[in-house]
Amino acid sequence: MTTPAVQMDWTKLEQVEIQIASWCNRSCHFCPSGTFPTPKEGMTLEMVERIMVQLESVSFAGTIGLHLMCEPLMHKKILEIVQQFRTRLPRAFIRMESNGDALKNIERLGWLFDHGLNEILINCYDSPEQFQRLNRGVLGLRPASGPIWYWNLWRHNPTLPKPQWRVVRVRAFFGTGFSLKNWAGHVEHQRPDPVALPLKLGCDRPFARMHINYLGQVLLCNMDWKYEVVVGDLRIQTMAEVWNAPLLQEYRSHLLVKDREMALCRLCDSGAPAPVQPGYPPADPWVFWRSRWLTWTRWLQRMLGRPAR
């Protein structure tokens, strides 16, 4: 039985994930990073420009993720790249995820927001002491372009439009017992109860996101650490051409009927219940009362017809 091709309008793309650097400086047991040999290279500015021009042509207003399978702060030109995305894609939401190791000079975090970053998620892998040290650094930050909003302090969504966010999230990833995904079979199963693979589930990644490695190749998804399912190449194709590549359409057709019996997908446990996840502990003991005060203040401002701050 053949499955119908699934055509998609690439201008409706919701998220572009970019492997801005080819490597991470850590090799954690729960992550494929460091498992496979890879050169230590940053995406070229020429490739960044090629991506940017095409997104600019459609006034892209989705999410730009600069952390695909890498530590984004390893790229020597990361500030320049963030600034270019912000200047040329003013409606986009620019975010990254990091292990924070490159933020020993915490002022560098402020510089990222000064250059146009909207959000950073920092994973603390080592200890509560590392977490508290980072908390103190973030709370003391005073970027030149204005204050940041700290998830662990207020625990409320900013009222500003997302392209104006300046958000820091610090996640407590130290300890054990988390139920983490197996990265499409690239690491051992990490769930308390094993799941039968392939899962009888669909997946929204090939319908909503484009995943671009540091070379400019477009991958099926962010689980593809070995570049096993390359659906296109932006060095010789446009994003519009790749978004409806035959291989990508084939995967979409199968996923629409919850069929994961395909390369990469058949070993992937993403989508199965994961009961225990890393959390976002508060930065200070007053977070409960601060959040209540903020909620009350915003309610009062709405009642009085004033814009919330």
Side-chain angles (χ1 to χ4, degrees), residues 206-207 220 228-229 231 246-256 259 262-265:
F207 297 88
L220 176 67
E228 295 175 87
V229 186
V231 298
L247 183 57
L248 190 51
Q249 290 190 48
E250 180 183 350
Y251 269 80
R252 288 179 184 139
S253 299
H254 284 270
L255 292 170
L256 278 175
D259 174 17
M262 301 165 289
L264 204 69
C265 297

Side-chain angles (χ1 to χ4, degrees), residues 12 28 56 59 107 146 177 183 193 198 214 219-220 258 260 283 307:
K12 301 296 191 293
C28 302
E56 190 179 22
S59 301
E107 292 300 321
W183 294 100
D193 300 310
Y214 77 102
L219 310 177
L220 176 67
K258 301 182 179 181
R260 290 197 181 185

Side-chain angles (χ1 to χ4, degrees), residues 22 35 213:
S22 66
T35 305
N213 72 10

